[in-house]
Amino acid sequence: REKTGARITSQFKKSLKSAISEKDVEHAYWEMLRSYYPEDILDSRYNTDGVLETMFFKLLMEVKYDKCLLSRKDLCSILIQVLYYIKIFELNNESKPNLILVGDKDECFIIHSNHLFPYLDEDIDWSIAPSSAAEANPQLVLKLEKDNNIKPFIFSIAKSFNCNDV
């Protein structure tokens, strides 16, 4: 598994290094996930960047090209978009993802979606496109920024990064 992880990590980093768009970054994350979970469902239902379903978890993926995930405001703005996607699952009576993977060219993190579930009851316009949700809900972004339960460990995708760690 260690050699396989090293091979996957090497290919993942190579793909990210050559990425010139968000779609390229998304492709790199899809390939990495497919390497670890070749038999499981990976699709882009509800126009997400990806949903991976295994018998143990359901992971929702949101990728960006060049956001600073170390910036609390950027991180929470992305999580608002993720929250809107989770709401779509809920509105469609589908089980909600229990894990969230947010990835970029330079960083990534995974959090449990339970941290976002309380926000599904917010009195906001849920008809807004997820990609515009943070812009339309600045107060909600601020609320997430102040939420001490949302403190993901940000992995830097640098020389010492290993996909197995994530």
Side-chain angles (χ1 to χ4, degrees), residues 89-101:
F89 280 87
E90 183 180 77
L91 293 172
N92 282 285
N93 295 315
E94 187 174 339
S95 66
K96 296 183 288 269
N98 56 342
L99 292 174
I100 309 300
L101 167 63

Side-chain angles (χ1 to χ4, degrees), residues 48-141:
T48 63
D49 289 340
V51 177
L52 172 66
E53 280 193 73
T54 75
M55 69 185 307
F56 302 106
F57 62 84
K58 186 175 193 176
L59 179 137
L60 173 61
M61 183 172 55
E62 182 60 37
V63 300
K64 299 298 178 191
Y65 174 68
D66 199 21
K67 285 279 188 185
C68 181
L69 300 183
L70 298 171
S71 158
R72 186 79 177 156
K73 184 173 183 166
D74 284 352
L75 183 144
C76 290
S77 293
I78 295 167
L79 289 179
I80 296 292
Q81 184 175 355
V82 168
L83 179 68
Y84 267 66
Y85 283 121
I86 293 171
K87 187 67 166 185
I88 292 170
F89 280 87
E90 183 180 77
L91 293 172
N92 282 285
N93 295 315
E94 187 174 339
S95 66
K96 296 183 288 269
N98 56 342
L99 292 174
I100 309 300
L101 167 63
V102 174
D104 184 71
K105 275 186 68 149
D106 303 310
E107 303 103 11
C108 69
F109 68 86
I110 292 183
I111 64 168
H112 200 285
S113 55
N114 282 351
H115 298 299
L116 297 178
F117 288 167
Y119 295 97
L120 292 170
D121 295 327
E122 291 286 322
D123 185 20
I124 56 177
D125 183 357
W126 291 104
S127 68
I128 295 169
S131 58
S132 303
E135 199 174 283
N137 296 288
Q139 296 295 50
L140 188 55
V141 174

Side-chain angles (χ1 to χ4, degrees), residues 11-67:
Q11 182 57 45
F12 177 64
K13 288 166 112 176
K14 184 178 175 183
S15 294
L16 287 178
K17 188 174 184 173
S18 66
I20 59 172
S21 69
E22 189 171 299
K23 201 64 167 166
D24 292 339
V25 175
E26 180 181 316
H27 179 76
Y29 279 89
W30 272 59
E31 290 306 308
M32 183 261 293
L33 289 172
R34 279 198 175 124
S35 295
Y36 282 101
Y37 303 98
E39 304 299 318
D40 294 301
I41 297 168
L42 178 59
D43 61 38
S44 55
R45 75 189 84 157
Y46 308 124
N47 293 313
T48 63
D49 289 340
V51 177
L52 172 66
E53 280 193 73
T54 75
M55 69 185 307
F56 302 106
F57 62 84
K58 186 175 193 176
L59 179 137
L60 173 61
M61 183 172 55
E62 182 60 37
V63 300
K64 299 298 178 191
Y65 174 68
D66 199 21
K67 285 279 188 185

